Amino acid sequence: MSLFDRLIAIIAPHRCVGCGDEGPLLCRACSSALTCLPARCYRCRAVTKLSRTCRSCRATSPLYRVTVGTNYETIAKELVWRLKFQGAQAAAGQIAEYLATIYAAEAHILIVPVPTSSKRVRQRGYDQAQLLARELADRLGRRYLPCLTRVGQQHQVGASRHQRLTQLTGAFRVKSSGVTGAHILLVDDVLTTGATLQAAARALKAAGAKRVEAIVFAQA
Ligand SMILES: [Zn+2]
Ligand SMILES: [Zn+2]
Protein backbone atom coordinates (compact mmCIF):
# COMPACT_ATOMS: atom_id res chain seq x y z
CA MET A 1 0.00 0.00 0.00
CA SER A 2 1.35 3.42 -0.89
CA LEU A 3 1.56 6.15 1.72
CA PHE A 4 -1.19 7.96 -0.14
CA ASP A 5 -3.45 4.91 0.01
CA ARG A 6 -2.72 4.47 3.69
CA LEU A 7 -3.73 8.05 4.34
CA ILE A 8 -6.90 7.64 2.30
CA ALA A 9 -7.69 4.43 4.19
CA ILE A 10 -7.56 6.38 7.45
CA ILE A 11 -9.55 9.37 6.22
CA ALA A 12 -12.02 7.46 4.07
CA PRO A 13 -11.77 3.70 4.49
CA HIS A 14 -12.56 1.62 1.43
CA ARG A 15 -15.58 -0.52 1.03
CA CYS A 16 -15.36 -3.84 -0.80
CA VAL A 17 -16.75 -3.44 -4.33
CA GLY A 18 -18.37 -6.86 -3.98
CA CYS A 19 -20.07 -6.99 -0.58
CA GLY A 20 -19.75 -3.41 0.68
CA ASP A 21 -17.87 -4.37 3.86
CA GLU A 22 -15.42 -1.81 5.19
CA GLY A 23 -11.78 -2.71 4.59
CA PRO A 24 -9.91 -3.42 1.38
CA LEU A 25 -11.43 -2.48 -1.98
CA LEU A 26 -11.87 -6.19 -2.66
CA CYS A 27 -12.21 -8.44 0.37
CA ARG A 28 -10.74 -11.92 0.49
CA ALA A 29 -14.12 -13.63 0.17
CA CYS A 30 -15.16 -11.61 -2.87
CA SER A 31 -11.72 -12.04 -4.44
CA SER A 32 -11.98 -15.80 -4.21
CA ALA A 33 -15.49 -15.60 -5.65
CA LEU A 34 -14.18 -14.12 -8.92
CA THR A 35 -14.74 -16.59 -11.73
CA CYS A 36 -11.47 -18.36 -12.45
CA LEU A 37 -11.33 -19.12 -16.16
CA PRO A 38 -10.09 -22.37 -17.67
CA ALA A 39 -6.71 -22.25 -19.44
CA ARG A 40 -7.61 -21.50 -23.03
CA CYS A 41 -6.53 -19.80 -26.25
CA TYR A 42 -7.42 -16.11 -25.96
CA ARG A 43 -8.62 -15.93 -29.55
CA CYS A 44 -10.73 -19.00 -30.26
CA ARG A 45 -11.18 -20.01 -26.60
CA ALA A 46 -10.15 -23.60 -27.25
CA VAL A 47 -8.80 -25.22 -24.08
CA THR A 48 -5.00 -25.23 -24.17
CA LYS A 49 -2.16 -25.99 -21.79
CA LEU A 50 -1.26 -22.94 -19.63
CA SER A 51 -3.45 -20.67 -21.78
CA ARG A 52 -1.11 -20.90 -24.73
CA THR A 53 -2.31 -19.61 -28.07
CA CYS A 54 -3.57 -22.65 -29.98
CA ARG A 55 -1.71 -23.98 -32.97
CA SER A 56 -4.04 -22.53 -35.59
CA CYS A 57 -4.25 -19.09 -33.96
CA ARG A 58 -0.46 -19.05 -33.59
CA ALA A 59 -0.22 -18.89 -37.36
CA THR A 60 -1.41 -15.27 -37.27
CA SER A 61 -0.89 -14.20 -33.65
CA PRO A 62 2.41 -12.90 -32.25
CA LEU A 63 1.30 -13.78 -28.72
CA TYR A 64 2.68 -16.93 -27.12
CA ARG A 65 -0.08 -17.00 -24.56
CA VAL A 66 -2.53 -14.76 -22.74
CA THR A 67 -3.41 -15.33 -19.12
CA VAL A 68 -6.87 -14.02 -18.29
CA GLY A 69 -7.87 -13.30 -14.69
CA THR A 70 -11.62 -13.48 -14.90
CA ASN A 71 -14.70 -12.56 -16.91
CA TYR A 72 -15.50 -8.89 -17.40
CA GLU A 73 -18.63 -8.86 -15.24
CA THR A 74 -19.97 -7.55 -11.90
CA ILE A 75 -17.05 -7.20 -9.46
CA ALA A 76 -14.42 -7.18 -12.20
CA LYS A 77 -16.28 -4.43 -14.07
CA GLU A 78 -16.51 -2.36 -10.91
CA LEU A 79 -12.78 -2.76 -10.20
CA VAL A 80 -11.86 -1.74 -13.75
CA TRP A 81 -14.14 1.27 -13.46
CA ARG A 82 -12.35 2.26 -10.25
CA LEU A 83 -9.02 1.78 -11.94
CA LYS A 84 -10.06 4.33 -14.55
CA PHE A 85 -12.04 6.84 -12.57
CA GLN A 86 -11.81 6.58 -8.81
CA GLY A 87 -9.22 5.31 -6.34
CA ALA A 88 -7.03 3.97 -9.10
CA GLN A 89 -4.07 3.12 -6.92
CA ALA A 90 -6.11 0.92 -4.60
CA ALA A 91 -7.84 -0.78 -7.53
CA ALA A 92 -4.52 -1.43 -9.28
CA GLY A 93 -3.18 -2.96 -6.09
CA GLN A 94 -6.16 -5.27 -5.70
CA ILE A 95 -6.13 -6.40 -9.31
CA ALA A 96 -2.37 -7.01 -9.21
CA GLU A 97 -2.78 -8.97 -6.00
CA TYR A 98 -5.31 -11.21 -7.68
CA LEU A 99 -3.25 -11.67 -10.85
CA ALA A 100 -0.15 -12.53 -8.84
CA THR A 101 -2.01 -15.46 -7.29
CA ILE A 102 -2.93 -17.00 -10.65
CA TYR A 103 0.30 -16.37 -12.56
CA ALA A 104 3.72 -17.95 -12.10
CA ALA A 105 6.32 -15.59 -13.59
CA GLU A 106 9.53 -16.98 -14.99
CA ALA A 107 12.73 -15.50 -13.61
CA HIS A 108 13.81 -12.99 -16.26
CA ILE A 109 10.52 -11.89 -17.71
CA LEU A 110 10.07 -8.14 -18.28
CA ILE A 111 6.78 -6.53 -17.29
CA VAL A 112 5.56 -4.08 -19.94
CA PRO A 113 2.33 -2.06 -19.76
CA VAL A 114 0.21 -1.60 -22.87
CA PRO A 115 -0.01 2.20 -22.91
CA THR A 116 -3.44 3.76 -22.96
CA SER A 117 -4.03 6.24 -25.77
CA SER A 118 -2.50 9.53 -24.67
CA LYS A 119 -5.69 11.54 -25.05
CA ARG A 120 -7.31 9.45 -22.34
CA VAL A 121 -4.23 9.64 -20.19
CA ARG A 122 -4.32 13.41 -20.51
CA GLN A 123 -7.95 13.48 -19.44
CA ARG A 124 -7.31 11.27 -16.44
CA GLY A 125 -3.87 12.42 -15.48
CA TYR A 126 -2.45 8.89 -15.28
CA ASP A 127 -2.23 5.68 -17.27
CA GLN A 128 -4.14 2.87 -15.61
CA ALA A 129 -2.25 0.12 -17.42
CA GLN A 130 1.03 1.54 -16.14
CA LEU A 131 -0.29 1.63 -12.60
CA LEU A 132 -1.43 -1.95 -12.88
CA ALA A 133 1.79 -3.19 -14.49
CA ARG A 134 3.93 -1.50 -11.86
CA GLU A 135 1.91 -3.02 -9.05
CA LEU A 136 2.12 -6.43 -10.67
CA ALA A 137 5.88 -6.16 -11.23
CA ASP A 138 6.26 -5.32 -7.52
CA ARG A 139 4.29 -8.33 -6.43
CA LEU A 140 5.98 -10.72 -8.83
CA GLY A 141 9.41 -9.27 -8.06
CA ARG A 142 10.15 -8.79 -11.77
CA ARG A 143 11.54 -5.87 -13.76
CA TYR A 144 9.12 -3.20 -14.90
CA LEU A 145 9.93 -1.71 -18.30
CA PRO A 146 7.47 0.83 -19.74
CA CYS A 147 9.03 0.71 -23.19
CA LEU A 148 6.02 1.11 -25.48
CA THR A 149 4.57 4.34 -26.79
CA ARG A 150 1.53 4.82 -28.97
CA VAL A 151 1.93 6.30 -32.41
CA GLY A 152 -1.10 7.73 -34.17
CA GLN A 153 -4.15 8.42 -32.10
CA GLN A 154 -7.16 7.30 -34.13
CA HIS A 155 -10.15 7.00 -31.92
CA GLN A 156 -11.70 3.56 -31.65
CA VAL A 157 -15.19 4.65 -30.66
CA GLY A 158 -17.62 3.72 -33.40
CA ALA A 159 -15.00 1.86 -35.42
CA SER A 160 -15.91 -1.62 -36.59
CA ARG A 161 -13.86 -4.61 -35.49
CA HIS A 162 -12.15 -4.65 -38.87
CA GLN A 163 -11.34 -0.93 -38.71
CA ARG A 164 -9.95 -1.33 -35.22
CA LEU A 165 -7.70 -4.16 -36.33
CA THR A 166 -6.43 -2.09 -39.26
CA GLN A 167 -6.01 1.12 -37.28
CA LEU A 168 -4.02 -0.63 -34.63
CA THR A 169 -1.50 -2.30 -36.86
CA GLY A 170 1.76 -0.57 -36.22
CA ALA A 171 0.23 1.60 -33.51
CA PHE A 172 3.11 1.11 -31.08
CA ARG A 173 6.74 2.04 -30.98
CA VAL A 174 9.40 0.51 -28.76
CA LYS A 175 11.57 3.14 -27.08
CA SER A 176 14.11 0.90 -25.45
CA SER A 177 16.88 -1.34 -26.70
CA GLY A 178 16.44 -3.57 -23.66
CA VAL A 179 13.96 -5.93 -25.30
CA THR A 180 16.34 -7.77 -27.61
CA GLY A 181 16.13 -11.48 -26.85
CA ALA A 182 13.77 -10.82 -23.94
CA HIS A 183 10.70 -12.62 -22.73
CA ILE A 184 7.99 -10.06 -22.20
CA LEU A 185 4.77 -10.01 -20.24
CA LEU A 186 2.36 -7.37 -21.52
CA VAL A 187 -0.12 -6.10 -18.96
CA ASP A 188 -3.56 -4.66 -19.62
CA ASP A 189 -6.83 -4.39 -17.74
CA VAL A 190 -9.43 -5.62 -20.23
CA LEU A 191 -9.22 -7.91 -23.24
CA THR A 192 -11.77 -7.43 -26.02
CA THR A 193 -10.69 -8.39 -29.54
CA GLY A 194 -7.03 -8.83 -28.67
CA ALA A 195 -6.09 -6.40 -31.47
CA THR A 196 -4.31 -3.99 -29.14
CA LEU A 197 -2.27 -6.73 -27.48
CA GLN A 198 -1.35 -8.16 -30.85
CA ALA A 199 -0.19 -4.80 -32.18
CA ALA A 200 1.92 -4.27 -29.06
CA ALA A 201 3.37 -7.77 -29.34
CA ARG A 202 4.22 -7.25 -33.02
CA ALA A 203 6.10 -4.05 -32.22
CA LEU A 204 8.07 -5.79 -29.48
CA LYS A 205 8.93 -8.73 -31.69
CA ALA A 206 10.02 -6.39 -34.47
CA ALA A 207 12.30 -4.75 -31.88
CA GLY A 208 13.88 -8.12 -31.13
CA ALA A 209 11.84 -9.61 -28.30
CA LYS A 210 12.09 -13.38 -28.33
CA ARG A 211 8.75 -14.21 -26.80
CA VAL A 212 5.76 -12.05 -25.93
CA GLU A 213 2.89 -13.12 -23.76
CA ALA A 214 0.23 -11.12 -21.94
CA ILE A 215 -1.81 -11.02 -18.79
CA VAL A 216 -5.13 -9.19 -18.56
CA PHE A 217 -7.44 -8.89 -15.65
CA ALA A 218 -10.76 -9.46 -17.42
CA GLN A 219 -12.00 -10.74 -20.76
CA ALA A 220 -15.12 -9.15 -22.21
ZN1 LIG B 1 -16.36 -8.37 -0.28
ZN1 LIG C 1 -6.98 -20.46 -30.86
Side-chain angles (χ1 to χ4, degrees), residues 14-122:
H14 291 301
R15 287 189 175 278
C16 171
V17 294
C19 62
D21 278 1
E22 214 170 87
L25 193 55
L26 180 65
C27 77
R28 208 172 276 268
C30 290
S31 175
S32 58
L34 283 174
T35 311
C36 210
L37 301 178
R40 64 191 187 187
C41 171
Y42 76 99
R43 282 229 294 209
C44 67
R45 306 199 181 189
V47 173
T48 59
K49 198 179 168 197
L50 299 170
S51 303
R52 287 188 194 135
T53 306
C54 79
R55 192 183 255 273
S56 65
C57 292
R58 273 303 285 281
T60 49
S61 172
L63 287 156
Y64 174 71
R65 66 169 171 155
V66 179
T67 305
V68 179
T70 188
N71 285 319
Y72 187 55
E73 58 187 18
T74 58
I75 295 175
K77 261 189 178 166
E78 180 66 27
L79 272 179
V80 169
W81 188 85
R82 298 288 180 114
L83 184 63
K84 288 178 177 163
F85 303 109
Q86 191 190 87
Q89 190 75 53
Q94 291 291 335
I95 293 172
E97 193 80 49
Y98 175 75
L99 292 178
T101 62
I102 63 159
Y103 181 79
E106 62 175 81
H108 299 290
I109 202 155
L110 299 177
I111 314 281
V112 177
V114 176
T116 312
S117 73
S118 61
K119 191 179 170 199
R120 289 181 195 179
V121 172
R122 272 199 301 277

Side-chain angles (χ1 to χ4, degrees), residues 160-190:
S160 69
R161 184 173 189 274
H162 177 74
Q163 282 170 327
R164 291 182 57 173
L165 289 170
T166 328
Q167 283 176 1
L168 277 159
T169 311
F172 292 96
R173 199 175 52 221
V174 181
K175 54 175 181 180
S176 162
S177 54
V179 302
T180 310
H183 286 184
I184 285 169
L185 178 66
L186 285 167
V187 180
D188 209 351
D189 52 358
V190 179

